[in-house]
């Protein structure tokens, strides 16, 4: 997260020409609990690395716009090829960097005036697909969590659009104010969604940095639609609470805010004591509204106790000469608090490499003091 904040700072500062904008971007993106799962879960943390690599691609593309140095464009394509190696969401790196380079938004700096040039970062994504699809394409299309169906069968864009509309309210809007895990009634979504659409249109009309606003909207809408379309069969109530899917949208919202901020450049860059005082209070408010949800999402004392129990059972296995497989067969399945219901906690056992006890009844008797 910190690396992403630093990269975002440099990207926004170079684009808008003042470090204050970079600091605001760092705070708005980093002081949040929107994507807490990408921070607290090991399996989801690679999404952050994919995002960091994407930001490197954007920085290289930005350098090309400033200097027209072809080496920067090459580095951008290289970063876009690497980003999906970390996490599937990195597949969007090339299209997003190409969107940033499109010549339709005006240019404060030179370069980026050719559609061909804008497409170069996407060649990195194409290179990744050219290598990965032959190697793992079938496995991706027939993943276990599709329930026996293929990706093409479960991918429903219309349902993805519906989930996106609801998530814009439930996650992007309410989550900004520290409210999580809430699914608003559909009538309320129908009221708030047009309000968000009006705010987006105002940002497009009002923002001095149109490039940032368009890029931010892409981060939000494209990632939402793709994610929810591929998970349409799981039900909105289930996938809407998964914070790891809020990483790209939170960056998109940050870019939109930064794209509008230069409209108040005279006040912001005056750096009067009053403006600094107000900004400090805004950052404090962001922290306060997020801290309660943050503690609730990552602080699970029972999970630590459960993991300690696994360690004690593993120590008993080594002491009595019980292999991990023998222990798993003898002990009833058990799920660690806030873990997947499909994962048996005893899968974490290492056991003994020198088995001396194999009888299931004896194993249960030896381990019963520690096993639940």
């Amino acid at each position: 997260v910190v690396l992403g904040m630093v990269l975002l700072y440099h990207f926004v500062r170079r684009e808008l020409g003042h470090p204050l904008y970079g600091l605001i971007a760092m705070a708005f993106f980093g002081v949040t609990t929107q994507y807490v799962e990408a921070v607290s879960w090991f399996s989801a943390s690679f999404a952050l690395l994919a995002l960091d690599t994407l930001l490197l691609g954007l920085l290289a593309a930005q350098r090309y716009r400033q200097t027209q140095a072809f080496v920067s464009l090459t580095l951008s394509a290289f970063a876009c090829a690497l980003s999906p190696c970390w996490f599937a969401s990195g597949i969007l790196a090339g299209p997003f960097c190409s969107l940033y380079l499109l010549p339709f938004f005006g240019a404060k700096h030179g370069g980026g005036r050719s559609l061909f040039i804008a497409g170069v970062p996407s060649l990195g994504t194409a290179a990744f697909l050219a290598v990965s699809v032959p190697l793992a394409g079938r496995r991706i299309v027939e993943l276990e969590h599709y329930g026996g169906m293929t990706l093409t069968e479960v991918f429903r864009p219309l349902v993805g659009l519906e989930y996106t509309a609801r998530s814009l309210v439930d996650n992007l809007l309410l989550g900004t104010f520290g409210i999580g895990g809430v699914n608003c009634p559909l009538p309320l979504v129908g009221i708030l969604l047009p309000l968000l659409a009006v705010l987006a249109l105002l940002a497009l009309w009002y923002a001095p940095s149109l490039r940032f606003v368009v890029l931010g909207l892409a981060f939000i809408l494209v990632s939402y639609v793709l994610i929810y379309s591929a998970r349409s069969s799981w039900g909105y109530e289930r996938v809407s609470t998964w914070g790891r899917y809020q990483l790209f949208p939170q960056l998109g919202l940050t870019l939109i805010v930064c794209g509008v901020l230069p409209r108040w450049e005279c006040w912001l860059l005056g750096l009067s004591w009053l403006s600094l005082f107000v900004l400090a209070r805004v950052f404090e408010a962001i922290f306060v509204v997020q801290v309660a949800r943050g503690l609730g999402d990552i602080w699970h004392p029972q999970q630590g106790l459960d993991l300690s129990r696994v360690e004690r059972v593993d120590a008993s296995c080594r002491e009595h000469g019980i292999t991990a497989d023998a222990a798993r067969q003898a002990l009833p399945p058990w799920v660690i608090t806030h873990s997947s219901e499909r994962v048996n906690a005893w899968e974490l056992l290492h056991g003994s490499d020198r088995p001396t006890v194999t009888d299931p009844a004896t194993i249960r008797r030896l381990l019963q003091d520690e096993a639940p």
Side-chain angles (χ1 to χ4, degrees):
V1 175
V2 174
L3 176 59
M5 292 169 66
V6 172
L7 294 173
L8 181 61
Y9 165 82
H10 287 290
F11 180 62
V12 173
R13 178 189 61 81
R14 290 196 328 201
E15 186 76 17
L16 300 182
H18 197 281
L20 180 62
Y21 295 124
L23 291 173
I24 293 173
M26 287 180 70
F28 201 82
F29 173 72
V31 185
T32 182
T33 54
Q34 288 279 63
Y35 49 85
V36 64
E37 289 176 354
V39 180
S40 60
W41 289 18
F42 173 78
S43 58
S45 63
F46 294 97
L48 283 166
L49 295 173
L51 183 66
D52 292 345
T53 310
L54 187 157
L55 286 170
L56 287 173
L58 280 174
L59 281 166
Q62 184 183 59
R63 181 60 71 189
Y64 172 78
R65 287 186 60 233
Q66 294 173 335
T67 65
Q68 301 187 55
F70 191 76
V71 65
S72 298
L73 199 62
T74 304
L75 289 175
S76 179
F78 182 67
C80 293
L82 291 180
S83 183
C85 296
W86 296 108
F87 206 75
S89 56
I91 203 71
L92 297 174
F96 285 163
C97 288
S98 291
L99 177 62
Y100 170 79
L101 286 173
L102 284 177
F104 304 137
F105 308 115
K108 183 177 180 180
H109 304 285
R113 303 183 184 278
S114 165
L115 290 176
F116 172 78
I117 291 296
V120 170
S122 292
L123 295 179
T125 299
F128 170 83
L129 292 174
V131 174
S132 63
V133 170
L135 294 176
R138 184 174 180 179
R139 187 184 310 170
I140 294 171
V141 171
E142 300 176 356
L143 285 175
E144 179 184 351
H145 60 228
Y146 293 146
M149 295 188 291
T150 64
L151 175 60
T152 55
E153 292 173 327
V154 301
F155 192 89
R156 293 184 287 177
L158 291 180
V159 178
L161 287 171
E162 175 195 341
Y163 289 5
T164 295
R166 298 181 65 180
S167 190
L168 287 170
V169 174
D170 295 340
N171 290 304
L172 197 66
L173 176 60
L174 298 184
T176 300
F177 298 97
I179 303 172
V182 175
N183 292 330
C184 292
L186 290 179
L188 183 58
V189 174
I191 295 173
L192 294 177
L193 191 61
L195 175 61
L196 292 177
V198 170
L199 291 175
L201 291 174
L202 286 175
L204 288 169
W205 175 77
Y206 196 67
S209 179
L210 182 61
R211 191 183 301 271
F212 261 24
V213 175
V214 172
L215 185 61
L217 288 173
F219 267 100
I220 295 171
L221 297 177
V222 175
S223 58
Y224 268 162
V225 170
L226 288 179
I227 287 170
Y228 291 135
S229 295
R231 289 150 183 81
S232 58
S233 61
W234 296 357
Y236 176 75
E237 287 71 19
R238 180 184 179 188
V239 299
S240 65
T241 59
W242 293 352
R244 55 193 180 277
Y245 296 153
Q246 305 307 316
L247 181 61
F248 276 35
Q250 181 64 22
L251 178 59
L253 183 60
T254 301
L255 292 175
I256 293 174
V257 170
C258 291
V260 175
L261 281 178
R263 179 65 65 179
W264 297 283
E265 183 171 305
C266 293
W267 181 81
L268 285 171
L269 302 189
L271 294 179
S272 67
W273 285 109
L274 177 61
S275 62
L276 289 176
F277 176 83
V278 172
L279 285 174
R281 301 294 81 77
V282 169
F283 293 153
E284 288 176 6
I286 293 174
F287 175 79
V288 169
V289 300
Q290 297 289 335
V291 68
R293 183 170 68 157
L295 292 176
D297 283 345
I298 66 175
W299 181 250
H300 302 304
Q302 185 58 45
Q303 188 178 74
L305 296 175
D306 291 349
L307 291 171
S308 296
R309 184 176 292 118
V310 173
E311 290 181 347
R312 292 196 298 270
V313 170
D314 196 54
S316 296
C317 287
R318 293 193 298 272
E319 177 184 354
H320 298 292
I322 302 171
T323 65
D325 287 338
R328 282 191 284 269
Q329 293 173 9
L331 296 175
W334 174 52
V335 176
I336 294 174
T337 303
H338 292 287
S339 177
S340 171
E341 295 179 356
R342 297 180 299 173
V343 178
N344 183 0
W346 305 129
E347 295 294 333
L348 300 176
L349 294 175
H350 293 284
S352 173
D353 295 329
R354 299 178 180 179
T356 57
V357 179
T358 58
D359 178 59
T362 304
I363 292 174
R364 283 193 292 270
R365 178 177 58 79
L366 291 172
L367 301 181
Q368 65 182 356
D369 291 339
E370 300 297 346

